Amino acid sequence: MKNDIKVQRAIHNLTQANLAEMIGVSRQTINAMELNKYVPSTVLALKISSIFKKSVNEIFFLDNND
């Protein structure tokens, strides 16, 4: 699964640490998600989509390997 978190953070002027604090995870978790090394839980994906005011499908999407 791929995601658009880094782009959304830039649009909203948020650092990894800012976003992490807002959703209650570590900065390392945000980094791992952006590098596609960690697939978030449904709750975490919903929190992120709520912050960016986008649907989950606009932020997270399947790639050809999924």
Side-chain angles (χ1 to χ4, degrees), residues 8-57:
Q8 292 301 318
R9 280 194 311 99
I11 291 168
H12 291 85
N13 294 318
L14 293 172
T15 65
Q16 288 181 342
N18 296 143
L19 179 58
E21 185 176 331
M22 293 170 82
I23 60 175
V25 298
S26 69
R27 184 204 57 79
Q28 291 84 355
T29 299
I30 302 299
N31 185 55
M33 281 191 284
E34 289 182 357
L35 294 174
N36 300 311
K37 294 184 176 187
Y38 176 75
V39 176
S41 67
T42 304
V43 171
L44 192 53
L46 289 168
K47 286 181 180 182
I48 292 169
S49 68
S50 175
I51 287 169
F52 295 142
K53 295 179 177 41
K54 299 264 184 182
S55 72
V56 172
N57 288 339

